[in-house]
Amino acid sequence: MSVWRTKSIEASLADSLEKGHSLKRTLGTWDLMIMGVAVAVGAGIFSVGAKAAGSYAGPSVTLAFLLAAITCALAIMCYAEFASAVPVAGSAYTFTYATLGELLAWIIGWDLILEMLTAAAVIAKYWGIYLSEVFELWNWDVPATISVFGLQVSWGAFVIVAIFTTLLVLGTKLSARVASIFTILKVAIVLFVIVVGAFFINPKNYTPFIPEAVPSTGGDGDVWMQSLFSFMTGAQPAQYGLFGLLAGASLVFFAFIGFDVVATSAEEVKNPQKTLPRGIFAGLAIVTVLYLGVSLVLTGMVPYTVLADDPNASLATAFISVGAGWAAQVISVGILVGLTTVIMVLLLGLSRVLFAMSRDGLLPRGLSVTSSKRGTPARVQIISGAAVALIAGFTDVGVLEEMINIGTLSAFVLVSIAVVVLRKKRPDLPRAFKVPFSPYLPILSAVLCFWLMLNLTTLTWVRFAVWLAIGIAVYFLYGRRHSVVGIEAKRVFDDTLREELIAEERAALSK
């Protein structure tokens, strides 16, 4: 049985109607737009721009955000075309299965599990930390951790994961409504920060817009912490100038990660051919405007050198520098609210990828059973929530942060390539949305995303290789033998062989 076997589009669509293994279509354009904003606008909007401006791009960090948004838009166009043609759960995993074969589909599904599991755990952990900071603002002495059998447990992470796991089991539409409330609140906080910050802008701080390049210091001697590109080429890390701007774009790109998660909900969307592209692009447009606004205010309030001098620089740093320290309190609340909805969307995405892989037999089929009343995969949702809570509650998640990025980007690369492959294999397939200028834009998307992968640290690549090795072992030990597509192919092969043997026997008897 070949590891390159593919699953037909028709089979994927038929599976979405299978009784006891199907999801309920309840989401509209508004829900998807809110979901995109919910997952992309987190704590990063208050911190990643400051780090990129201070260490890499200076005031031109605004251009870095714009370049990152364009790169993200290219990848999201590929997701939108696939999702409108194959509106079933699984996102990049399902798209790859239909075009590049089962092994690559398993690898990308395994990568998506890595991305969403680690992202949800990291953010749940930080949610608990920021909750304690908000308590401090009100002079409430509530510790971030509690001792359980001698172990320090982040209780906040357990609470928030438990709440959203319960909501997602009760229904995707209910969860989307709760997310809408939090998302509107955090967008209002971001707009408030932008408006207030605008009063402190000094136009002189925008000059020079692209600072002159300077030799980068520190970090280059550690082979594990330098980028894979620097390790392979011996190139000196860039600071400021054009290459600093590009390095800044690589950093801030990760502020846009999360829109691929929206595509995992395709099977729960009403009229997905039109609704999915509209919802995804509307969300991306809102997020881009918010990030550009924050970056313009940030670099206009203080010189970029002030941000460079503070290793923990954030938007709060700029407000404190201009004597508006009270705004830091608003930002702390904004971060807490921002992280809340990110956790929910990641828990949703993780369970839907596991659901799709389980329904295909690559993971135990029992995980993909759905509730007859609510149409949600309760089993896999509870397992996902428990795994995230345990990792967030008991481990140091800091080492996992870059693993989120490499898992996402690897999915972006394969989906971009898969769009071109599907255009060649199935030109007849109805597509409500098509990536313009194909194959050039999808190829450009794949190249840009791979470039960003090369800018991740060598240690991240080593950890990624170990994760892939474990995944491939699981596939050959379990997934390949239990694959629904493989079992069906074997049955057809056996039936064909039997018919051929019978025909040969009849021919021999007739002689």
Side-chain angles (χ1 to χ4, degrees):
M1 295 183 287
S2 174
V3 297
W4 305 113
R5 58 198 174 210
T6 58
K7 184 178 181 180
S8 69
I9 304 297
E10 290 75 14
S12 293
L13 294 173
D15 281 352
S16 67
L17 303 175
E18 182 183 353
K19 188 176 180 180
H21 294 271
S22 60
L23 302 171
K24 189 176 181 180
R25 295 192 182 274
T26 58
L27 302 178
T29 301
W30 169 264
D31 299 311
L32 293 179
M33 180 184 71
I34 289 295
M35 195 180 295
V37 177
V39 74
V41 179
I45 196 168
F46 301 108
S47 59
V48 71
K51 182 177 180 181
S55 302
Y56 297 100
S60 67
V61 69
T62 305
L63 290 181
F65 272 110
L66 190 59
L67 288 172
I70 292 171
T71 303
C72 183
L74 290 174
I76 292 305
M77 280 195 287
C78 298
Y79 274 84
E81 176 170 330
F82 256 118
S84 67
V86 194
V88 298
S91 186
Y93 157 76
T94 301
F95 309 153
T96 307
Y97 208 164
T99 52
L100 303 178
E102 187 174 277
L103 179 58
L104 286 178
W106 167 266
I107 289 173
I108 214 62
W110 193 247
D111 289 350
L112 289 174
I113 293 171
L114 171 69
E115 170 203 348
M116 297 178 197
L117 179 64
T118 54
V122 168
I123 293 169
K125 184 85 165 189
Y126 286 142
W127 188 92
I129 293 171
Y130 281 112
L131 179 63
S132 296
E133 290 189 4
V134 171
F135 283 151
E136 288 179 8
L137 294 177
W138 297 92
N139 296 318
W140 294 349
D141 185 17
V142 181
T145 61
I146 58 175
S147 179
V148 178
F149 301 114
L151 296 174
Q152 291 299 310
V153 180
S154 177
W155 65 269
F158 269 93
V159 170
I160 193 64
V161 171
I163 290 172
F164 277 118
T165 298
T166 302
L167 285 173
L168 288 166
V169 169
L170 292 176
T172 307
K173 185 66 176 179
L174 173 63
S175 305
R177 287 173 179 168
V178 174
S180 296
I181 297 171
F182 279 99
T183 302
I184 292 170
L185 180 59
K186 72 177 175 181
V187 169
I189 292 173
V190 172
L191 291 174
F192 173 77
V193 169
I194 291 173
V195 171
V196 172
F199 288 98
F200 296 97
I201 288 178
N202 181 354
K204 293 181 180 179
N205 291 329
Y206 292 125
T207 304
F209 190 68
I210 302 180
E212 186 177 350
V214 296
S216 179
T217 58
D220 191 39
D222 187 347
V223 67
W224 296 113
M225 298 314 296
Q226 63 179 305
S227 72
L228 184 65
F229 178 76
S230 296
F231 173 73
M232 292 189 302
T233 64
Q236 184 77 7
Q239 187 173 24
Y240 307 130
L242 178 60
F243 287 103
L245 170 61
L246 295 176
S250 297
L251 175 64
V252 302
F253 175 82
F254 305 125
F256 292 91
I257 282 178
F259 283 96
D260 58 315
V261 181
V262 179
T264 64
S265 64
E267 198 171 315
E268 296 161 275
V269 177
K270 295 179 289 187
N271 190 15
Q273 285 75 12
K274 294 183 178 179
T275 303
L276 265 165
R278 290 174 182 171
I280 291 175
F281 287 124
L284 178 60
I286 292 172
V287 169
T288 302
V289 170
L290 291 176
Y291 273 122
L292 291 177
V294 168
S295 62
L296 281 170
V297 167
L298 171 71
T299 53
M301 290 177 67
V302 294
Y304 71 91
T305 51
V306 172
L307 302 173
D309 292 336
D310 186 352
N312 299 312
S314 67
L315 192 58
T317 306
F319 278 98
I320 293 171
S321 297
V322 297
W326 59 269
Q329 297 179 338
V330 177
I331 290 171
S332 293
V333 175
I335 290 173
L336 184 66
V337 174
L339 293 178
T340 303
T341 53
V342 179
I343 297 168
M344 190 216 79
V345 179
L346 288 171
L347 286 171
L348 172 71
L350 174 61
S351 66
R352 295 319 183 255
V353 171
L354 290 169
F355 167 82
M357 296 174 75
S358 167
R359 188 167 60 184
D360 289 336
L362 300 183
L363 293 173
R365 283 269 293 171
L367 296 177
S368 61
V369 173
T370 55
S371 165
S372 58
K373 181 179 179 181
R374 299 184 179 90
T376 58
R379 293 180 185 177
V380 75
Q381 190 69 69
I382 293 170
I383 291 171
S384 299
V388 169
L390 289 172
I391 294 172
F394 289 98
T395 64
D396 176 13
V397 297
V399 297
L400 301 176
E401 289 186 36
E402 275 207 2
M403 299 301 290
I404 302 167
N405 306 330
I406 199 165
T408 304
L409 287 168
S410 61
F412 278 17
V413 170
L414 282 185
V415 169
S416 299
I417 295 170
V419 163
V420 179
V421 173
L422 191 62
R423 287 277 190 101
K424 293 287 186 182
K425 291 179 65 174
R426 293 294 304 273
D428 59 307
L429 193 68
R431 296 169 172 84
F433 174 83
K434 289 185 177 182
V435 180
F437 306 110
S438 181
Y440 305 108
L441 285 187
I443 291 173
L444 178 61
S445 171
V447 170
L448 288 174
C449 291
F450 188 67
W451 164 253
L452 294 177
M453 290 179 71
L454 291 177
N455 279 275
L456 296 173
T457 65
T458 307
L459 182 58
T460 297
W461 276 90
V462 171
R463 289 172 175 161
F464 183 57
V466 172
W467 175 259
L468 286 182
I470 295 171
I472 291 173
V474 173
Y475 171 72
F476 281 103
L477 291 173
Y478 182 89
R480 186 167 180 261
R481 292 187 294 169
H482 293 84
S483 165
V484 172
V485 172
I487 292 172
E488 177 63 19
K490 186 176 185 304
R491 185 190 63 78
V492 171
F493 176 79
D494 290 343
D495 289 346
T496 303
L497 183 61
R498 189 180 301 109
E499 290 174 1
E500 290 176 353
L501 290 174
I502 293 172
E504 290 177 2
E505 290 177 2
R506 288 175 178 173
L509 290 172
S510 65
K511 293 179 180 179

